[in-house]
Every structure is written in structure tokens, then in C-alpha cells.
Amino acid sequence: MRVVRVESPRGGARLGVVVDDEVALLPEKRYGSGRGFIALVREAARRRVSAAQYLQQRISSDRRVKRIRYSELGERAVRGFRLLMPIVPPEVWGAGVTYLRSREAREYETKAKGIYDLVYEAERPEIFFKATPSRCVGPEEVAYIRSDTRWSVPEPELAIVLGPKQEIVGYTIGNDLSARDIEGENPLYLPQAKIYRGCCVIGPAIALPETIGDPKNLRIEMRVLREGAEIFKGWVNTSNLKRGLDELVSYLARDNVIPAGTVLLTGTGIVPPDDFSLRSGDIVEIEIEKIGVLRNRIEQLSSRGKRS
Ligand code: DO4
Ligand code: MG
């Protein structure tokens, strides 16, 4: 079972439950808000059932539930329905250098040799602040690269949604857009390489833990299209992730204040060749099995923080 948030033609958003190609839209406005998924998780806990059980009951017993087709959303949006970020996370954090491929790429790009080798092997993982709601975009929206970069890449990552007790309540897809030239120049520039307007994409759906099964056995695939042609395609399986997901969450939550709905990106294992950089007009598609396809057009910001 997957959960999406959908804007309806008459305005207003609804939470939808996706089963096969059907989306059952819940009538409650509160579940359609940016944190509606968390309201639903809390309601399920109050009733002492899982979110999946609560949703199943809701969609099978309420006659006000409206049904649309999932294939009519996203890229093929018709009839005015539009996919939104499934949750508007109060905070997004990222884990870094969790795959061997990321370690190699970071060591290649950096002038501070050795630090990424160290963090890959260290007991404490790299965890960094990534985004606030105003810096996040959803499915089919424009995502950005900085104005002052010549080497930027998408980072396709399995993303964890955390509940009120920092428990894992769902999984989605994140794109941790990053400027490799800025990050490589000096590790202290990491916040500038990572955090800017439109730097983080979340969506298209939240898959519930029961649906995901083993989160360390999911295929992640990324495609980049330029002028209609595929210019990059790569894939990885989350079994290559060096860290446990609970391990990452426990380091994030330790001595910290983590609001419910926070999203943690678990790191990238797909890095395009070193001569590759995103350009305005590129389309990035990230697919994670059991979650869906996250698709965005890329634009480069102008130096005033607006798109060029
Ligand atoms: O310090 C670099 C961050 C690396 C990263 O974001 C990743 O491995 O996904
Ligand atoms: Mg990353």
C-alpha cells in the first residue's frame, strides 16, 4: 500500500491510498495537509492498529471515498488532478558516503583527500542538514541547480519518513541535488553545495513498511534525459548500503529534536561519470521499486536566486 497526496481540480489536497492502479482519496481535509500523513499515523496509533490497517478500513467502509486512476496522475496528469509531495517534511536530513560508489566519487572530487575514506569506515556516519519545506519540491515540479556551479548532479536516494517517536513510518524517494565542484573545493562548503532553493525533491508516494518488506533489498534506478535522449542511466540495490537504516536514524535522533514527519535521505549509490553535469531542461527520473517514479525537470538558478 502506498500513500500519495493529490491536488484536486477544485483546489484543496487529499491523501490518497494507492492499490494497483487505483487511488482512493480520503475525504478528510486534515489528512490532505502537508503533515496529513502524520495525522493519519497518530490516528492509527490511537486506535491501536497499523497505518495500513486503518487505511484499509477507511477505504473499504466510507462511501465518500472518491476513486481515480494512478496512471492519470504525474506525467500524464489529466482532469486537473496533480501529485503533490506526499508529506511536507518539517526538516530533511541526509546521510552521506553510505555506498562505496559515493566514497569513490567524493575522494575523486575533493581537495581534502582522505576524509571520505575515513567517514565511510568510521563508526559514526556522516549526517548533514539538507532542507526545510520551502527548499523542497514535489513530483513533476521544477528542481534547481545553483547559479554558481559548473558541476552538479542528482543524487537518487531511498528516503525514510520518521514518525512521532522517531520510528520509521514509511519510505519515499529523495533527490539530494548537489554541487560537486563546491563540495570538492572545501568540505566546509558542504552546506552551500547542498542547501539552496529547490535543492531537494521528495515523492511521489510513501510506501508503508509492510509494503516495502526488506528496505535493504530495493532496486534504485536513475535516468537523465536531455532533449528527449537518455544521456545517463544507472542503478544500485539498497543491499549495497553500508549502514543499517536504524543505525542512521539513531545517530540522527541522538540528543536531537526531530519533529514528526522529518525525512532522512540515506545516501546515494548512483553517481554519473565525472564529466557529467546537469543542465537546464534535463529531466531526471528516479525509480525505486515498490515506491514509484519521481520525475522532475531541472533549471539552473540565476545569480539572484531566481531561475535563469
Ligand atoms: O559529504 C558528502 C555527501 C555525500 C552524499 O550526499 C551522499 O553520499 O549521498
Ligand atoms: Mg546524498
Side-chain angles (χ1 to χ4, degrees), residues 83-127:
L83 275 175
L84 300 170
M85 269 190 279
I87 186 165
V88 178
E91 294 176 0
V92 181
W93 293 76
V97 201
T98 51
Y99 291 82
L100 196 54
R101 179 68 188 105
S102 181
R103 168 186 169 166
E104 285 165 7
R106 264 11 95 205
E107 277 300 322
Y108 172 82
E109 78 203 9
T110 191
K111 291 188 178 161
K113 297 293 177 202
I115 62 165
Y116 295 103
D117 286 342
L118 277 175
V119 83
Y120 183 78
E121 299 295 349
E123 191 174 332
R124 184 188 292 271
E126 178 196 5
I127 294 190

Side-chain angles (χ1 to χ4, degrees), residues 29-214:
K29 276 191 190 156
R30 69 190 178 112
Y31 291 152
S33 72
R35 311 265 157 84
F37 177 70
I38 294 299
L40 189 137
V41 166
R42 287 188 201 273
E43 183 59 26
R46 201 181 65 76
R47 292 167 184 253
R48 297 183 191 284
V49 292
S50 70
Q53 286 167 327
Y54 176 54
L55 284 170
Q56 192 58 54
Q57 288 165 9
R58 289 289 293 100
I59 61 175
S60 49
S61 63
D62 192 331
R63 293 237 221 98
R64 295 170 303 160
V65 168
K66 181 177 169 53
R67 288 165 205 278
I68 58 175
R69 293 170 75 85
Y70 187 69
S71 51
E72 291 180 349
L73 293 168
E75 193 188 352
R76 293 176 202 83
V78 291
R79 297 195 285 144
F81 288 100
R82 191 169 72 90
L83 275 175
L84 300 170
M85 269 190 279
I87 186 165
V88 178
E91 294 176 0
V92 181
W93 293 76
V97 201
T98 51
Y99 291 82
L100 196 54
R101 179 68 188 105
S102 181
R103 168 186 169 166
E104 285 165 7
R106 264 11 95 205
E107 277 300 322
Y108 172 82
E109 78 203 9
T110 191
K111 291 188 178 161
K113 297 293 177 202
I115 62 165
Y116 295 103
D117 286 342
L118 277 175
V119 83
Y120 183 78
E121 299 295 349
E123 191 174 332
R124 184 188 292 271
E126 178 196 5
I127 294 190
F128 56 89
F129 189 76
K130 174 64 185 176
T132 48
S134 60
R135 297 178 175 92
C136 293
V137 302
E140 302 297 328
E141 289 185 319
V142 175
Y144 291 100
I145 53 176
R146 294 181 62 107
S147 62
D148 54 358
T149 176
R150 297 167 68 90
W151 190 18
S152 274
V153 289
E155 292 192 357
E157 307 190 9
L158 176 67
I160 294 170
V161 182
L162 294 172
K165 297 179 186 142
Q166 289 101 48
E167 75 280 31
I168 298 179
V169 291
Y171 298 89
T172 186
I173 304 175
N175 185 351
D176 171 24
L177 286 149
S178 305
R180 291 188 69 184
D181 46 358
I182 297 172
E183 167 179 281
E185 180 72 26
N186 188 320
L188 298 179
Y189 294 157
L190 188 75
Q192 295 176 71
K194 296 281 191 184
I195 309 171
Y196 55 91
R197 187 160 89 95
C199 64
C200 180
V201 193
I202 302 287
I206 296 171
L208 299 179
E210 296 90 332
T211 301
I212 286 289
D214 181 3

